[in-house]
């Protein structure tokens, strides 16, 4: 277990929400005060288990959540110095994500809410990613534009209000993080691919080979599968050439140049679409969100865009970019304020769209 942040100066008036996150390969529980201050934040990552297979194995993820959820919950309370009766509500990611994985968190949340007779709050995973920014920047309030890039999503949304989110663009096929993960695996860098590509890309040639910048007519939607296939073709050709000349693939195309070119292309596409969305909405604030928002090249590129457009950029603390439960508790607070409580027959929803919240 890792990623433990503790701050224990609680006042009587503060609303304490326990967040639970199990949508993919992190089992996480956290307590957040008033949607803005982390009291405890516990994340148990399954990276070691899934890296053996080069990606998340859903069945293993569910089983591991079952084994880990109670110790993670206990630890989040112990670190906060709180007991269940101190909590005001239980927030849980109920979608989207891996259905078996989601069900573990939802079942735990329903049991706790029933046991302590406190409201149950259903949180959309991407609203959680957006809320990581509320934990990082106490001044941030809607409206703002957000680019959410994770292992499963590439969304641009307009956050009209805390619980009112308009979908402006999404990917038609692969997510940005998914492309990083698949290409990192193809080149032998391991899992998860995003951080490995970022590390390998340092000092590399960002234009080592041409990659497409797919655009969809009259739409801000993304399409990354063509980028992934083109990069895989370049890699295969380099491998074939290496085999025919009895050399090594990395002598023809280095991991460094491959990673730098892939990273730069994805960052350029994301930044271009974000620029168009800002033009359409006239937004004065941009917030990044999701695991890929940890990428320093992306942060730099979007910062440059924000400077050019004279808008404010908010980026989550690096530790809050990837999946965690503090962001779920923070998003849950705004659902709690609106008293949009869920019944105890809440189900997990693998394909929940963000504008259906
Ligand atoms: O948000 P997240 O933890 O899980 C999902 O909701 O999918 O995002 C995980 C994704 C993975 O694809 C991972 O490779 C990517 O975020 N990622 C990164 C970086 N750190 C994590 N991608 C690029 N650069 C990074 N530094
Ligand atoms: Zn996520």
């Amino acid at each position: 277990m890792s990623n433990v942040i503790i701050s224990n100066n609680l006042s009587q008036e503060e609303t304490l929400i326990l967040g639970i996150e199990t949508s993919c390969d992190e089992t996480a529980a956290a307590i957040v005060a008033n949607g803005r201050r982390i009291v405890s934040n516990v994340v148990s990552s399954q990276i070691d288990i899934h890296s053996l297979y080069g990606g998340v194995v859903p069945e293993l993820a569910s089983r591991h959540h079952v084994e880990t959820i109670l110790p993670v919950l206990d630890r989040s309370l112990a670190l906060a110095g709180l007991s269940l009766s101190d909590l005001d509500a239980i927030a849980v990611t109920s979608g989207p994500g891996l259905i078996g994985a989601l069900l573990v968190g939802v079942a735990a949340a329903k049991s706790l809410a029933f046991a302590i007779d406190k409201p149950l709050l259903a949180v959309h995973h991407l609203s959680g990613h957006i809320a990581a920014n509320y934990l990082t920047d106490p001044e941030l309030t809607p409206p703002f534009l957000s680019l959410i890039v994770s292992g499963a999503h590439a969304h641009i949304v307009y956050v009209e209000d805390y619980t009112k989110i308009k979908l402006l663009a999404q990917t038609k096929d692969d997510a940005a993080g998914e492309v990083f993960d698949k290409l990192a695996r193809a080149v032998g860098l391991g899992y998860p691919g995003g951080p490995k590509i970022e590390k390998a890309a340092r000092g590399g040639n960002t234009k080592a080979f041409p990659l497409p910048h797919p655009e969809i007519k009259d739409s801000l939607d993304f399409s990354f599968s063509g980028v992934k296939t083109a990069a895989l073709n370049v890699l295969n050709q380099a491998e074939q050439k290496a085999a025919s000349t009895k050399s090594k693939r990395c002598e023809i195309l280095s991991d460094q140049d491959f990673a730098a070119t892939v990273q730069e292309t994805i960052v350029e596409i994301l930044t271009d679409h974000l620029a168009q969305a800002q033009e359409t909405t006239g937004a004065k604030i941009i917030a990044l969100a999701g695991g890929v928002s940890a990428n320093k090249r992306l942060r730099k590129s979007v910062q440059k865009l924000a400077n050019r457009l004279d808008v404010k950029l908010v980026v989550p603390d690096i530790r809050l970019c990837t999946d965690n439960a503090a962001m779920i508790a923070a998003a849950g607070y705004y659902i709690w304020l609106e008293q949009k409580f869920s019944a105890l027959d809440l189900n997990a929803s693998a394909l929940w769209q963000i504008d259906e919240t």
Side-chain angles (χ1 to χ4, degrees):
M1 278 183 229
S2 63
N3 204 8
V4 178
I5 309 163
I6 317 160
S7 132
N8 213 345
N9 309 315
L10 294 170
S11 78
Q12 287 294 315
E13 299 82 49
E14 281 183 306
T15 300
L16 291 175
I17 297 192
L18 171 74
I20 299 176
E21 157 63 42
T22 63
S23 68
C24 190
D25 60 343
E26 261 94 26
T27 319
I31 297 167
V32 168
N34 285 354
R36 295 276 175 168
R37 198 167 57 77
I38 296 174
V39 184
S40 68
N41 187 17
V42 180
V43 180
S44 171
S45 169
Q46 303 178 4
I47 285 180
D48 292 348
I49 297 168
H50 300 291
S51 55
L52 292 173
Y53 306 93
V56 178
V57 182
E59 179 59 22
L60 289 182
S62 315
R63 286 172 192 225
H64 198 73
H65 286 312
V66 171
E67 284 167 13
T68 320
I69 187 74
L70 292 179
V72 165
L73 281 165
D74 282 345
R75 189 145 184 211
S76 69
L77 285 161
L79 283 168
L82 295 169
S83 61
L84 283 171
S85 58
D86 295 315
L87 301 172
D88 293 294
I90 312 289
V92 62
T93 306
S94 58
L98 302 172
I99 192 68
L102 287 165
L103 280 168
V104 178
V106 169
K110 289 199 288 193
S111 314
L112 285 178
F114 178 69
I116 63 173
D117 195 21
K118 291 285 166 63
L120 175 67
L121 310 165
V123 177
H124 190 284
H125 183 70
L126 298 184
S127 301
H129 274 302
I130 294 168
N133 288 288
Y134 302 139
L135 295 167
T136 307
D137 181 350
E139 313 273 286
L140 177 65
T141 52
F144 57 87
L145 189 64
S146 184
L147 170 69
I148 317 167
V149 265
S150 69
H153 295 91
H155 272 25
I156 299 178
V157 299
Y158 191 68
V159 182
E160 289 179 356
D161 207 341
Y162 290 103
T163 61
K164 202 165 168 217
I165 296 170
K166 203 171 148 196
L167 180 62
L168 301 180
Q170 59 185 322
T171 181
K172 292 280 186 203
D173 37 58
D174 293 348
E178 195 179 347
V179 176
F180 280 131
D181 293 338
K182 291 200 171 138
L183 293 179
R185 182 164 63 181
V187 87
L189 288 172
Y191 173 84
K196 310 265 184 194
I197 293 264
E198 176 168 15
K199 196 167 168 215
R202 279 185 210 140
N205 177 1
T206 56
K207 300 273 177 263
F209 50 90
L211 282 177
H213 280 228
E215 294 297 334
I216 297 164
K217 199 167 174 284
D218 299 327
S219 167
L220 280 178
D221 283 347
F222 298 101
S223 170
F224 285 111
S225 73
V227 178
K228 181 188 69 185
T229 308
L232 284 173
N233 284 342
V234 169
L235 196 63
N236 288 338
Q237 281 159 15
E239 265 156 16
Q240 280 165 10
K241 197 166 169 195
S244 65
T245 56
K246 299 215 173 352
S247 55
K248 289 186 180 149
R249 190 266 300 154
C250 56
E251 290 167 28
I252 291 159
L253 173 64
S254 68
D255 287 0
Q256 192 186 30
D257 287 354
F258 182 77
T261 302
V262 164
Q263 175 176 262
E264 195 63 19
T265 304
I266 291 176
V267 166
E268 276 170 12
I269 295 170
L270 292 170
T271 311
D272 283 356
H273 285 228
L274 189 58
Q276 291 175 53
Q278 192 281 333
E279 203 178 309
T280 315
T281 56
K284 296 277 175 278
I285 307 171
I286 293 174
L288 288 186
V292 181
S293 69
N295 186 279
K296 294 195 184 58
R297 182 69 200 106
L298 177 64
R299 286 170 171 239
K300 213 169 157 185
S301 170
V302 176
Q303 183 62 66
K304 207 169 147 195
L305 173 74
N307 294 347
R308 179 165 70 74
L309 299 173
D310 195 23
V311 303
K312 175 178 165 168
L313 174 67
V314 182
V315 289
D317 185 300
I318 286 279
R319 290 167 302 180
L320 298 174
C321 288
T322 46
D323 291 350
N324 64 86
M327 68 186 197
I328 302 304
Y333 175 69
Y334 295 97
I335 299 172
W336 182 85
L337 283 180
E338 292 184 6
Q339 304 210 338
K340 286 184 185 160
F341 305 148
S342 290
L344 289 176
D345 63 354
L346 173 70
N347 205 352
S349 170
L351 301 173
W352 189 11
Q353 281 281 1
I354 194 163
D355 50 1
E356 290 166 1
T357 53

